């Protein structure tokens, strides 16, 4: 599943252009984040929540250099309630998010 948007704010270049996520197996989810071309190295928080809103995985990337980030999140809870929701937040300073995108995770086929 993917989510996309257009830049439209003061920090538009640090907005998240799109996100995608797909399960690899019951313990891993492959996620990708696409930023707008002229981004200024935002920080990213990548979280994976189960259907009970319990956090199953989390990663923080500081000062993202590339426009495209692809990453494997490893589920650290046993028997999570599916489906997962993948959320990506971009920010420059803590507690001041610039953009947030969330999607349901596709099952591996």
């Amino acid at each position: 599943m993917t989510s996309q948007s257009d830049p439209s704010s003061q920090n538009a270049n640090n907005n998240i252009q799109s996100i995608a996520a797909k399960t690899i197996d019951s313990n891993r989810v492959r996620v990708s984040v696409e930023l707008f071309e002229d981004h200024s190295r935002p920080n990213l928080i990548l979280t994976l929540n189960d259907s009970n809103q319990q956090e199953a995985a989390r990663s923080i990337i500081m000062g993202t250099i590339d426009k495209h980030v692809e990453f494997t999140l490893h589920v650290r809870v046993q028997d999570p309630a599916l489906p997962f929701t993948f959320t990506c937040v971009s920010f420059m300073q803590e507690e001041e998010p610039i953009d947030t995108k969330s999607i349901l995770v596709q099952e591996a086929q």
Side-chain angles (χ1 to χ4, degrees):
M1 184 154 259
T2 62
S3 173
Q4 296 187 354
S5 71
D6 295 319
S8 61
S9 71
Q10 181 180 1
N11 290 312
N13 291 341
N14 294 313
N15 282 355
I16 302 161
Q17 184 174 8
S18 65
I19 61 174
K22 188 174 189 177
T23 59
I24 296 172
D25 57 35
S26 62
N27 296 315
R28 298 179 297 161
V29 176
R30 190 71 175 168
V31 299
S32 64
V33 176
E34 197 75 29
L35 299 172
F36 286 98
E37 187 67 42
D38 297 329
H39 69 84
S40 56
R41 300 182 62 179
N43 305 310
L44 300 176
I45 299 175
L46 311 171
T47 56
L48 194 63
N49 290 339
D50 69 11
S51 63
N52 295 328
Q53 299 306 310
Q54 297 286 338
E55 188 173 280
R58 178 185 195 95
S59 185
I60 299 174
I61 301 173
M62 303 301 287
T64 307
I65 296 172
D66 295 322
K67 175 186 171 197
H68 178 79
V69 175
E70 197 161 332
F71 201 82
T72 300
L73 292 173
H74 294 262
V75 177
R76 58 176 196 237
V77 296
Q78 290 186 337
D79 301 321
L82 300 177
F84 289 119
T85 300
F86 169 56
T87 302
C88 180
V89 177
S90 66
F91 67 99
M92 297 301 281
Q93 297 179 10
E94 281 189 60
E95 306 300 323
E96 294 183 27
I98 296 168
D99 195 13
T100 302
K101 298 264 182 288
S102 293
I103 59 169
L104 286 176
V105 176
Q106 290 182 340
E107 295 291 322
Q109 297 183 15

